[in-house]
Amino acid sequence: MSPLQRGTAAKRQGVAHTPEARDTYTPQLEYASQMAGRAILRHNAILIFLSLCIIYVSVPTKNYYWDGIGFAQDIEQAAARPDGLLHPNHLLYNALGHELWTLSAALGYHVRALGILQLLNAILGAATAAVLFSILRRTVRSPYAATCLAFGFAFSATWWKFATDANSYIPSTFLLTICLWLLLGNTRPAPFALGVAHAGSALLHQLAIFFYPAAVLGLWYQSSSEPHRRRLLNITQYTVSAAGLTLLVYSLAFAARGGSFDFSKFVSWCASHSPDASFSFAIGKNAVTSLLGQVKLVLGGRLRLFLDQRNIVAALSIAAMIVTLAALCRRIFRAGVFVPRLKAPFLPIQRICLVWIFSYVVFLLFWLPHNTFYRLFYLPALVLLAGIFIGSSRTGSHRLALSVAVLFFFNFGFHIYPQAQPGVNPALQIATTMREVWGPGTIVYWDVYAAENRTIRYFNPQAEWKELWGPAQISQTQRSLAAAKEGGGTVWFDSVALEQLMTDREFRMWLKANWRMGKTYEFFNRDRKLGFVQLLPAPETVRLNS
């Protein structure tokens, strides 16, 4: 039982309630029983971890998260651009990926950084579910409910997708789950360890800081048997260790990038974000988007994608889902609708979960509410909250297991398996096509604001890529093209970006005087046009003397 729970202790199982039996129940027997229970708990957690690792690794996504491609690119070009390893939004994630990629190469496994990051997330995604199982097993005291909920967490749409992709959300949430284990799994508070784990999570992604109110409340409840002054001291120790370690690492990283330390620039750097990210105060619209995000967090997929692929594996999964759903409906019809009831011992855990969820929901109501993957940070709280309600009631008839099975087959058929196919990613197909066109050393100018270009670039490392930052830097682009012409290399240009640049009359005239258009490859990603055009040096004009 979790140390936060109060009430009547569970009866010892396997011991007859007679005076003779009570006399023979010794502390040694109780200790042996506890050790056996812990061994079974570890055994089950390991089985969950291994089974999920196999599932995640078996279906890695091909519909890559755009930032994940960027992370992998930064890791592989760290020798030329080491600053790319230290991004303030996820300070140590790229550095961690770079160390693992370097270690892999040292061991003789020369693979791309993207594969390393995907493997890391598969392992940590499975580990998060295993840790959550351990927390649920200690809290709800039901191996059946804990196992079902752990798998339900692992097979929720957004978690499953991102556990097979490259991103910093999975490692950061894993450490938040470790924080939860320190709060609910330990009988004694460990404020310093809690602070270190929370700092590690925040250093992998800044959004982890919103776990702080839940951590403070959990530490307060965990210290309930201690004097008031000691409880405040525990919270202070946790706060100082978490905030101090985070600020120390950020300060060192900032100084390493610039060679000096300026406080105002440091604050601006820590709070920097993408130019297209901002707060939105359209509360009504954001509330609807947030509610839809909650659904997408659990259920994913697109019917159109499923129908376009017509894949037999996905079709079999949907068929299995329909059969399982029918069995679930039959059980519900026979046994009645499950009405959860919360018992008093679970109230502290309920409050911790609600504070955890509330902190994120309020922030995400105004900050990019359409980014469903940000909601991964409080997904463990949602599952634990469901667990304490289910653990307070009888859930027979295997309804919970059938519900998880429906979730698995639905998300696998409509969401996970279709996105594991190469054809789902148009940018990957374009990259494959252009790989046959661009030889080693080909110079390619690419628009940094087109997300598809990151994938095309990553899967064509043989080319030399030059960034285009729009009309604002048109003179820099002109000088770069002039240098490329002098070098005599093969030059290709993002055709959509070129059209935009040619709206500038001076650049258009200069381009016509120095270059002519060659081969053009055009593609369409839904309603977006993509393409590349070869630029050939214009023939020199020779003036003959009469």
Side-chain angles (χ1 to χ4, degrees), residues 71-81 85 92-120 458 461:
F71 299 157
Q73 190 75 56
D74 289 338
I75 289 170
E76 293 185 13
Q77 65 182 22
R81 298 176 62 178
L85 295 181
L92 296 186
Y93 177 71
N94 283 4
L96 172 63
H98 183 264
E99 291 302 313
L100 294 174
W101 182 62
T102 304
L103 176 62
S104 172
L107 295 175
Y109 297 97
H110 299 281
V111 295
R112 302 295 302 273
L114 182 62
I116 296 293
L117 295 180
Q118 285 184 283
L119 179 60
L120 173 66
Y458 183 77

Side-chain angles (χ1 to χ4, degrees), residues 45-46 48-58 60 93 96 100 115-132 153-154 159-167 170-175 178:
I46 291 172
I48 289 173
F49 168 73
L50 293 176
S51 61
L52 288 174
C53 276
I54 293 172
I55 293 173
Y56 288 161
V57 171
S58 299
Y93 177 71
L96 172 63
L100 294 174
I116 296 293
L117 295 180
Q118 285 184 283
L119 179 60
L120 173 66
N121 274 12
I123 294 172
L124 293 182
T128 305
V131 173
L132 188 58
F153 167 84
W159 183 267
W160 193 351
K161 165 62 169 62
F162 276 74
T164 66
D165 207 342
N167 58 86
I170 298 296
S172 184
T173 306
F174 166 72
L175 287 179
I178 294 295

Side-chain angles (χ1 to χ4, degrees), residues 478-505:
Q478 188 172 325
R479 289 193 299 270
S480 177
L481 279 170
K485 183 179 180 182
E486 290 292 330
T490 305
V491 177
W492 287 76
F493 211 97
D494 184 319
S495 58
V496 177
L498 187 62
E499 291 176 5
Q500 296 174 349
L501 292 178
M502 288 183 69
T503 58
D504 182 276
R505 182 177 180 276

Side-chain angles (χ1 to χ4, degrees), residues 280-297 361 364-366 368-372 375 378:
S280 169
F281 296 96
I283 297 180
K285 178 182 177 182
N286 292 354
V288 173
T289 302
S290 297
L291 289 174
L292 291 175
Q294 295 297 135
V295 176
K296 293 177 182 177
L297 188 63
V361 167
L364 296 178
L365 181 63
F366 303 101
L368 303 178
H370 56 278
N371 283 354
T372 301
R375 304 182 189 280
Y378 63 87

Side-chain angles (χ1 to χ4, degrees), residues 164-231:
T164 66
D165 207 342
N167 58 86
S168 59
Y169 311 120
I170 298 296
S172 184
T173 306
F174 166 72
L175 287 179
L176 287 187
T177 311
I178 294 295
C179 291
L180 184 64
W181 183 84
L182 289 170
L183 290 170
L184 303 183
N186 282 352
T187 55
R188 296 182 60 184
F192 178 74
L194 179 64
V196 171
H198 193 190
S201 180
L203 291 170
L204 290 172
H205 199 284
Q206 286 179 331
L207 281 182
I209 63 174
F210 292 102
F211 178 74
Y212 178 76
V216 169
L217 183 61
L219 202 55
W220 179 262
Y221 279 125
Q222 194 180 28
S223 312
S224 59
S225 61
E226 299 180 357
H228 186 81
R229 184 176 179 181
R230 181 63 190 175
R231 298 170 82 178

